[in-house]
Amino acid sequence: VQLQASGGGLVQPGDSLRLSCTASGGTSSRYATGWFRQTPRREREFVAHITWKGDNRYHSNSVRGRFTISRDNAKNTVYLQMNSLKLQDTAVYYCAAIQPHGGTYDYSEPGSYDYWGQGTQVTVSS
């Protein structure tokens, strides 16, 4: 499975962005998918996760109420709508997918994910 993240950019505080993560190869729509972010000073940080059916969604405390993860399986795409962006949201954002295996996993741990996209830069600056 290949993941292509896009939609990053340079915005001002309070602005919005929508990131997209498009999957190709394999049974692309059946992967639980997450978003993480990373800066040079911080380890990769969990942002949001959505199950492959879209029936369960999880957001980190730092983004809950501002960011929303969603998916369109017909388009093999997962979105991260980011509103009310803050300076501290500046990071490279990565999408990642979990190979279906029928077991449990910790959606907030990078090690749970089998496939990663290349990252898209989000810069929030005044």
Side-chain angles (χ1 to χ4, degrees):
V1 174
Q2 291 78 45
L3 302 176
Q4 179 71 41
S6 62
L10 172 62
V11 297
Q12 294 185 336
D15 285 351
S16 298
L17 276 176
R18 188 177 77 161
L19 304 184
S20 299
C21 175
T22 300
S24 60
T27 313
S28 302
S29 66
R30 287 184 170 266
Y31 295 90
T33 304
W35 285 98
F36 290 78
R37 63 188 182 185
Q38 189 168 17
T39 70
R41 294 187 177 184
R42 299 202 306 259
E43 293 184 352
R44 195 160 293 192
E45 174 192 13
F46 168 73
V47 176
H49 175 89
I50 187 167
T51 52
W52 77 266
K53 290 183 178 180
D55 50 351
N56 287 295
R57 313 179 192 195
Y58 307 92
H59 300 82
S60 69
N61 290 337
S62 61
V63 307
R64 189 173 296 117
R66 299 187 298 121
F67 292 10
T68 302
I69 191 170
S70 63
R71 68 188 304 150
D72 184 341
N73 285 345
K75 296 181 179 179
N76 291 332
T77 300
V78 173
Y79 303 99
L80 184 68
Q81 178 66 43
M82 306 188 295
N83 298 330
S84 303
L85 281 160
K86 303 177 180 180
L87 297 175
Q88 54 264 45
D89 293 320
T90 295
V92 177
Y93 283 71
Y94 297 90
C95 62
I98 297 175
Q99 175 82 30
H101 53 63
T104 60
Y105 56 85
D106 183 342
Y107 58 77
S108 68
E109 286 294 327
S112 296
Y113 294 78
D114 301 292
Y115 308 101
W116 289 84
Q118 85 288 2
T120 184
Q121 176 71 47
V122 172
T123 302
V124 184
S125 175
S126 56

